[in-house]
Amino acid sequence: MGDETLIVYDNIFLDHLTGPGHPENPDRLKAILRGFRKFKLLENPKIKVEKPQKAGVDELCLVHSRKYVDFIEEFCRKGGGILGTWGGGVVCSRRSFEVACYAVGGALKAVDEVLNGRYRNSIALVRPPGHHASTELAYGFCIFNNIAIAAKHLIEVRGVTKVAILDMDAHHGNGTQEIFEKTSKVLYVSFHQDRIFPGTGSIKDVGIGEGEGFKVNFPLPPYSNEEIYLKALNEIVGPILDRFKPAYILVSAGFDAHHLDPLTGLGLSSLGYVEIYRWVVKTAERLTGGKFSAVLEGGYDYEALEKAVSSVVATMAGLTIEVNDPPQKMPENLKNAALRTLEDVRKTMSNYWTI
Ligand SMILES: [Zn+2]
């Protein structure tokens, strides 16, 4: 098995233009690349960069309807515009359909290369993000649901039995939850800030029918920091994963849970991201032979993206870098609220899992 970490990236992801003042813009990826240069990550032999291929209609239609795919293509060909609202929908430019196809292709390449044994793990650094998009709806800066398509591809095309998705974005991945709401083949776990966009992902949203008990939501109070995340991962998510036994782990890699993020109020530091991804690496070693892939979602502060994404990639490759971004203190009342949330999740999930 290849021992390196794969970064899937292409400059084409800079060509999805959202107009002046939009938080989801090409500068996000430029900040990530600046971080890689600063921490000299790409010179390390344990990290490789490859370009994705463009996903085809059949791949998009693993999750989306043909009607929706055709509509997006047509909308962009005519010059694009705003689908939904500026803040809650998605701004499309002429090339956005093509770029979004490459973003899906990036997620697919990330999982295929690891599954084929060429790399230990992988991260797809793509735009537009995906976890708010559902079967027929562009939403929350997302056009196609990159990670959901990767999960479906793993199960339906590659014959992987069960997939776990950890959504570490500060917003609930309503699209991903909706797409897999009724299946027990995908365990979806989301950490997000309570009562912000899109407003879904309460503790009691545990899935429907066969999928009941396979959706785990942590709606956290503002300022929640790594201490809270690690406690939840170690005491609740880890034991559930041990029983679920995924054959593959996907991470919706949002970086807007960083304390500097302008859109949200959570409290992770770069060191916190290191601890979380160290946990993912260890969990993958225990359950999937080390195999996992991360796919970029949100994250809107450039300094946070520089530091935290480099920290995560280094951790995935088994490297340590010096980043000046220490853990943040959490106000006592909010910490107590967060601990109560964890307890409520534990209580709810104990109806389905021995935890
Ligand atoms: Zn987000």
Side-chain angles (χ1 to χ4, degrees):
M1 170 172 130
D3 196 32
E4 297 100 7
T5 289
L6 169 66
I7 295 171
V8 183
Y9 174 76
D10 192 317
N11 281 332
I12 194 166
F13 298 129
L14 304 175
D15 293 344
H16 165 56
L17 304 175
T18 48
H22 199 288
E24 204 296 286
N25 64 64
D27 288 345
R28 299 176 58 229
L29 288 175
K30 290 179 191 166
I32 291 171
L33 298 177
R34 203 156 55 234
F36 290 165
R37 280 195 296 275
K38 200 175 275 182
F39 297 105
K40 299 190 173 22
L41 283 184
L42 303 186
E43 293 146 40
N44 195 293
K46 298 195 76 176
I47 296 168
K48 296 278 189 307
V49 183
E50 291 194 30
K51 290 182 179 186
Q53 298 204 311
K54 188 176 167 181
V57 172
D58 287 351
E59 288 162 325
L60 302 176
C61 290
L62 284 167
V63 161
H64 301 283
S65 71
R66 180 65 198 248
K67 199 176 93 200
Y68 174 70
V69 171
D70 290 346
F71 164 73
I72 296 289
E73 182 172 22
E74 180 73 5
F75 184 74
C76 293
R77 190 171 56 227
K78 287 180 179 160
I82 302 176
L83 283 174
T85 60
W86 187 85
V90 58
V91 181
C92 292
S93 53
R94 196 173 291 278
R95 292 200 68 199
S96 293
F97 172 74
E98 194 189 359
V99 180
C101 290
Y102 273 95
V104 172
L108 292 175
K109 184 177 178 75
V111 299
D112 276 335
E113 296 291 357
V114 172
L115 208 60
N116 292 343
R118 287 191 63 217
Y119 293 93
R120 172 184 294 274
N121 53 39
S122 59
I123 182 163
L125 297 174
V126 301
R127 296 181 54 247
H131 73 152
H132 295 304
S134 54
T135 308
E136 290 200 319
L137 187 66
Y139 199 50
F141 313 161
C142 303
I143 298 176
F144 300 128
N145 195 317
N146 309 314
I147 205 152
I149 294 171
K152 279 255 188 172
H153 169 80
L154 282 168
I155 292 168
E156 290 182 14
V157 181
R158 301 297 308 262
V160 169
T161 49
K162 288 186 279 185
V163 176
I165 301 176
L166 295 179
D167 192 326
M168 308 311 293
D169 192 273
H171 303 93
H172 179 243
N174 60 293
T176 311
Q177 167 134 4
E178 191 183 314
I179 289 158
F180 297 117
E181 191 82 294
K182 293 178 183 158
T183 180
S184 58
K185 288 182 183 165
V186 177
L187 180 83
Y188 176 71
V189 180
S190 175
F191 289 86
H192 48 271
Q193 188 178 338
D194 194 15
R195 292 163 212 228
I196 63 169
F197 179 89
T200 50
S202 82
I203 296 173
K204 62 180 190 341
D205 294 337
V206 295
I208 295 170
E210 194 202 311
E212 190 179 337
F214 293 85
K215 311 295 165 282
V216 187
N217 284 301
F218 292 91
L220 298 171
Y223 295 96
S224 289
N225 61 10
E226 38 270 45
E227 194 187 332
I228 301 298
Y229 279 71
L230 264 295
K231 188 176 167 65
L233 288 170
N234 285 325
E235 296 178 12
I236 302 171
V237 181
I240 292 176
L241 285 176
D242 283 344
R243 284 159 182 80
F244 177 68
K245 295 187 175 47
Y248 206 94
I249 296 173
L250 294 171
V251 184
S252 258
F255 291 87
D256 43 9
H258 191 278
H259 61 88
L260 289 176
D261 197 86
L263 299 194
T264 70
L266 291 171
L268 291 180
S269 68
S270 293
L271 199 65
Y273 275 100
V274 167
E275 288 176 359
I276 289 166
Y277 281 78
R278 205 173 271 159
W279 183 93
V280 176
V281 167
K282 265 203 227 143
T283 302
E285 277 168 3
R286 193 168 73 243
L287 296 171
T288 65
K291 292 193 289 284
F292 79 92
S293 299
V295 181
L296 182 67
E297 300 285 1
Y300 306 99
D301 181 82
Y302 303 130
E303 186 188 336
L305 286 168
E306 252 185 57
K307 292 178 176 175
V309 179
S310 281
S311 299
V312 162
V313 171
T315 304
M316 288 173 67
L319 306 168
T320 310
I321 56 172
E322 288 289 324
V323 177
N324 181 20
D325 181 13
Q328 304 290 300
K329 258 205 143 3
M330 196 176 173
E332 207 57 33
N333 59 328
L334 293 174
K335 185 177 166 179
N336 290 334
L339 293 174
R340 277 198 301 278
T341 301
L342 264 49
E343 205 35 56
D344 288 349
V345 176
R346 185 206 310 274
K347 217 177 280 166
T348 300
M349 295 321 295
S350 67
N351 293 322
Y352 308 100
W353 307 90
T354 315
I355 52 169

